[in-house]
Amino acid sequence: MTLSKVIKIILAALLFLCLLKMPYGYYQLVRFISMTLFVIFAYEYRKNIPLMIVFISLAVLFQPIFKIHLGREIWNIVDVIVGILLLLLVVGEKWVRKLQ
């Protein structure tokens, strides 16, 4: 298993943990880690323009400086969708690479 896959699985787990009641600092840390990794993923998928745009958009959404206030319920939905997307990328990595 590649490092990229392991990082995606860990990030998905961090996002799923956001569904639980955690200290506010945890959410701040997850936002920072997510933004950083989404920028790295955007670069990793730079030849796959749609995925690159998705990851840039996620980096903007998760960035911790100018927070986008969506409410806890909406953020939970976003966390689940993004976590599932990351896990799908892990499973379908060969298919995604062929599209590049």
Side-chain angles (χ1 to χ4, degrees):
M1 185 173 292
T2 66
L3 180 59
S4 178
K5 287 183 178 184
V6 171
I7 290 171
K8 287 178 182 121
I9 291 169
I10 292 171
L11 182 55
L14 290 174
L15 291 171
F16 292 140
L17 282 174
C18 287
L19 300 174
L20 303 174
K21 182 77 172 158
M22 303 295 270
Y24 185 70
Y26 176 78
Y27 302 109
Q28 292 282 81
L29 180 63
V30 169
R31 286 175 73 111
F32 181 77
I33 291 169
S34 298
M35 178 202 62
T36 305
L37 291 175
F38 290 145
V39 169
I40 292 168
F41 295 153
Y43 180 76
E44 180 182 343
Y45 291 105
R46 66 191 175 276
K47 293 181 182 176
N48 185 330
I49 301 301
L51 263 181
M52 182 183 75
I53 291 170
V54 166
F55 281 121
I56 290 170
S57 300
L58 288 172
V60 170
L61 179 64
F62 278 82
Q63 57 82 26
I65 299 165
F66 301 106
K67 295 179 187 166
I68 299 172
H69 298 283
L70 299 177
R72 182 162 172 83
E73 292 175 1
I74 301 296
W75 271 114
N76 284 345
I77 293 168
V78 169
D79 291 337
V80 169
I81 291 170
V82 173
I84 291 171
L85 168 73
L86 290 169
L87 294 178
L88 288 174
L89 279 173
V90 168
V91 173
E93 189 76 30
K94 290 180 185 176
W95 181 74
V96 171
R97 293 287 177 201
K98 288 180 183 179
L99 295 176
Q100 293 182 352

